């Protein structure tokens, strides 16, 4: 009897039922889209961070910035020795990015801290190569003057001037990252995939081999088997690596020991990459490292995420703040409207419900009937909302609008304020701070989002049913008789 009456009443009032279901569907669809976009923002931000310091890195440890009173750091200095007949000049300078390094023993100290799963050291280098030549000027004697002589009052000095001459130099800069070949599962190289050749072998701790970023290889026309020279040392290119997203951490990757030798940084690293045992204990691990290893700066992925700017950050703020508050407002409005419409429908059925009570229906049965109708409306609205929301999320993923992300300096960078500072997430990504990274936005649908939509549909039905049931429970048979004409 319950379901028969329910089906008949919903069919008879299908327009009103559709209005209630459509209102709930709008709110539920908006919640699905906003949650999906927020999830896509988090994934996009994660890709940006992974492209900077590698997959699996929870935090990085660098040397703390020196106090301003200690003075600035010395920049690169080029020394040219001009000799007669030796006009061509070339000079390579290899220096740690940020100009600050940690002792290699710091890696072991970090690894020994409670909560640390693994720690790997890396040396990020900047290479400046200057090539050019000096052009000597030519002496031009003045007209009417003599080059020498005793009668000109010039004391025998030549009279004239030097014209022409000068210098022309080309400056080429690129980045090199010293990789611990024995532990390649952590650090910036993990954000790239070997697309040609191979990666480092664990035994190549001091070998003259290199892995080249694909973009840099394309620019310089390098391929596997070629040689690249860094400060007079030739390295064989054994692999080409392609960054998963954004810019690569470095142009060249070489074994850590070789990088230390090239930069005169024996037993030194610029960054320690840390993976925690439990992602929920990252703040605790950070505090332990800072307290037990003085002179270091620990930066977590959360700290680095706060420096992300650009359209990715703007869109994330909109999705997190405006989007969620808007969806909440629409949901509340949809619930209230559904409840009021249900109450209004009950008010128009006073004669019907009064008659049913006169025939022996209890108030509870009438209330259950109204709640049942409202629940069906809510579930229909939930189905429509899920369909519209999923369609909207898939449409957004298909379009994949491009967002840009740029990371600001974390306390300084090369030539900046802090040696232990992370610029763009640690040494090797220093140049990425000056370039925007493009990320394609997606809107993934999760099971939790669908479950939330179903819960909202049920909640909307219950709220509407509560309004209508309260109104129906107050009806009396006498109310029906008053409306009989």
């Amino acid at each position: 009897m319950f379901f028969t009456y329910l089906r008949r009443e919903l069919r008879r009032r299908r327009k009103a039922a559709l209005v209630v279901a459509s209102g709930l569907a709008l709110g539920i669809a908006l919640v699905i889209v906003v949650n999906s976009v927020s999830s896509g923002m988090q994934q996009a931000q994660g890709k940006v961070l992974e492209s900077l310091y590698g997959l699996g890195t929870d935090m990085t440890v660098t040397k703390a910035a020196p106090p301003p009173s200690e003075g600035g750091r010395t920049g690169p200095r080029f020394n040219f020795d001009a000799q007669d007949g030796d006009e061509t000049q070339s000079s390579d300078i290899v220096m740690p990015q940020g100009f600050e390094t940690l002792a290699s023993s710091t890696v072991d100290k970090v690894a020994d801290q409670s909560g640390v799963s693994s720690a790997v050291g890396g040396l990020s280098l900047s290479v400046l190569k200057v090539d050019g030549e000096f052009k000597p000027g030519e002496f031009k004697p003045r007209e009417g003057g003599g080059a020498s002589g005793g009668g000109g009052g010039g004391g025998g000095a030549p009279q004239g001037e030097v014209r022409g001459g000068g210098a022309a130099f080309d400056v080429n800069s690129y980045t090199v990252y010293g990789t611990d070949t024995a532990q390649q599962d952590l650090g910036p190289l993990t954000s790239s995939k070997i697309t040609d050749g191979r990666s480092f072998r664990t035994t190549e701790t001091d070998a003259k081999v290199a892995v080249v970023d694909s973009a840099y290889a394309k620019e310089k026309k390098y391929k596997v088997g070629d040689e690249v020279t860094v400060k007079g040392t030739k390295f064989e290119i054994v692999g080409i690596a392609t960054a998963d997203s954004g810019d690569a951490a470095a142009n060249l990757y070489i074994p850590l020991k070789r990088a230390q030798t090239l930069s005169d940084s024996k037993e030194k690293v610029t960054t320690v990459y840390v993976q925690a045992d439990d992602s929920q204990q990252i703040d605790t691990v950070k505090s332990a490292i800072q307290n037990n290893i003085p002179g270091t700066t620990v930066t977590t992925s959360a700290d680095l995420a706060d420096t992300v700017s650009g359209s990715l950050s703007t869109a994330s703020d909109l999705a997190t703040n405006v989007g969620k508050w808007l969806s909440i407002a629409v949901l509340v409005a949809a619930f209230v409207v559904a409840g009021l419409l249900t109450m209004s429908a009950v008010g128009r059925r006073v004669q019907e419900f009064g008659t049913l009570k006169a025939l022996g229906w209890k108030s509870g049965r009438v209330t259950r009937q109204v709640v049942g109708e409202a629940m069906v409306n809510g579930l229909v609205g939930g189905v429509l909302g899920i369909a519209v929301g999923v369609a909207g999320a898939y449409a957004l993923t298909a379009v994949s609008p491009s967002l840009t992300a740029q990371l600001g300096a974390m306390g300084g960078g090369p030539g900046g304020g802090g040696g232990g500072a992370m610029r763009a997430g640690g040494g090797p990504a220093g140049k990425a701070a000056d370039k925007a990274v493009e990320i394609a936005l997606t809107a993934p649908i999760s099971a939790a989002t669908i479950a939330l939509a179903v819960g909202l549909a049920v909640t909307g039905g219950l709220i509407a049913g509560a309004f209508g049931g309260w109104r129906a429970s107050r009806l009396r048979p006498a109310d029906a008789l008053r409306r009989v004409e």
Side-chain angles (χ1 to χ4, degrees):
M1 180 65 180
F2 174 81
F3 291 104
T4 301
Y5 191 81
L6 178 65
R7 183 173 62 253
R8 183 177 64 81
E9 288 302 315
L10 289 173
R11 185 182 303 162
R12 188 160 64 93
R13 294 180 173 82
R14 55 179 175 272
K15 290 184 178 180
L18 185 59
V19 170
V20 174
S22 298
L24 293 174
L26 177 62
I28 292 170
L30 185 58
V31 169
I32 291 176
V33 172
V34 169
N35 275 273
S36 299
V37 170
S38 297
S39 179
M41 296 296 177
Q42 292 177 356
Q43 290 186 7
Q45 193 173 72
K47 289 181 180 179
V48 173
L49 302 184
E50 287 175 8
S51 69
L52 296 176
Y53 52 51
L55 183 66
T57 303
D58 293 319
M59 64 193 76
T60 55
V61 181
T62 53
K63 188 172 182 179
S69 59
E70 294 184 7
R73 294 161 296 187
T74 303
R77 183 180 180 85
F78 296 91
N79 295 316
F80 296 110
D81 185 15
Q83 301 288 338
D84 292 338
D86 185 16
E87 300 172 355
T88 301
Q89 301 287 332
S90 180
S91 177
D92 283 12
I93 289 186
V94 181
M95 53 194 173
Q97 285 194 359
F99 300 95
E100 298 290 347
T101 57
L102 294 166
S104 296
S105 58
T106 306
V107 180
D108 295 329
K109 293 179 181 179
V110 171
D112 290 338
Q113 300 302 308
S114 176
V116 174
S117 174
S118 59
V120 176
L123 184 63
S124 179
L125 305 175
S126 293
V127 181
L128 294 178
K129 183 177 180 62
V130 179
D131 288 297
E133 61 179 0
F134 292 106
K135 294 182 179 179
E138 296 182 0
F139 178 76
K140 300 286 186 179
R142 294 178 181 174
E143 295 183 2
S148 62
Q159 297 182 1
E161 60 182 354
V162 178
R163 296 180 180 177
F169 288 88
D170 293 326
V171 178
N172 180 30
S173 64
Y174 55 95
T175 55
V176 176
Y177 181 73
T179 304
D180 188 342
T181 59
Q183 301 182 67
Q184 300 181 49
D185 56 347
L186 197 60
L189 188 54
T190 60
S191 64
S192 299
K193 294 180 180 178
I194 301 298
T195 52
D196 191 13
R198 62 175 177 84
S199 186
F200 298 109
R201 297 191 177 101
T202 57
T203 56
E204 294 175 329
T205 56
D206 198 20
K208 298 178 182 180
V209 292
V211 172
V212 185
D213 172 59
S214 58
Y216 188 69
K218 182 178 181 180
E219 176 187 346
K220 299 297 182 180
K221 298 181 179 179
Y222 289 142
K223 60 181 182 297
V224 174
D226 289 349
E227 289 186 340
V228 57
T229 302
V230 182
K231 199 177 181 181
T233 302
K234 293 183 178 181
F235 292 84
E236 179 189 357
I237 298 176
V238 297
I240 304 293
T242 302
D244 289 337
S245 63
D247 292 336
N251 300 129
L252 299 176
Y253 301 88
I254 62 176
L256 178 57
K257 286 188 178 180
R258 276 289 162 187
Q260 292 170 336
T261 301
L262 286 175
S263 59
D264 297 325
S265 303
K266 186 177 181 181
E267 299 298 326
K268 299 288 186 181
V269 295
T270 51
T271 311
V272 181
Y273 300 87
V274 184
Q275 186 176 49
D277 286 324
D278 185 356
S279 60
Q280 303 300 319
Q281 300 297 322
I282 290 178
D283 290 338
T284 302
V285 176
K286 174 181 177 179
S287 299
I289 295 174
Q290 289 179 325
N291 293 333
N292 299 331
I293 307 177
T296 60
T297 296
V298 183
T299 305
T300 66
S301 56
D303 297 331
L304 191 59
D306 291 338
T307 70
V308 176
S309 60
S311 61
L312 174 61
S313 177
T314 302
S316 180
D317 291 341
L318 286 174
T320 302
N321 299 320
V322 179
K324 287 188 176 180
W325 282 111
L326 178 60
S327 61
I328 290 173
V330 171
L331 270 178
V332 171
F335 289 165
V336 171
V337 170
L340 293 178
L341 287 176
T342 304
M343 283 185 63
S344 176
V346 171
R348 291 193 298 270
R349 298 164 66 184
V350 170
Q351 183 176 343
E352 174 188 341
F353 289 134
T355 302
L356 291 174
K357 283 192 172 184
L359 294 176
W361 280 39
K362 301 295 185 181
S363 295
R365 185 174 180 181
V366 173
T367 301
R368 287 195 299 272
Q369 194 70 43
V370 174
V371 172
E373 294 176 13
M375 285 296 299
V376 172
N377 290 337
L379 293 176
V380 172
V383 172
L384 292 175
I386 291 173
V388 174
V390 170
Y394 274 111
L396 185 61
T397 301
V399 174
S400 296
S402 296
L403 299 176
T404 58
Q406 185 172 356
L407 279 91
M410 290 289 293
M422 292 179 60
R423 184 174 178 86
K431 72 184 182 101
D434 301 323
K435 293 181 64 177
V437 179
E438 284 197 1
I439 298 293
L441 176 64
T442 60
I445 302 292
S446 64
T449 301
I450 299 299
L452 175 62
V454 174
L456 291 174
V458 173
T459 302
L462 289 175
I463 291 176
F467 275 90
W470 173 80
R471 179 69 182 272
S473 65
R474 296 172 62 87
L475 295 177
R476 297 175 299 172
D479 297 327
L481 298 176
R482 292 195 193 101
R483 300 201 178 189
V484 176
E485 297 180 356

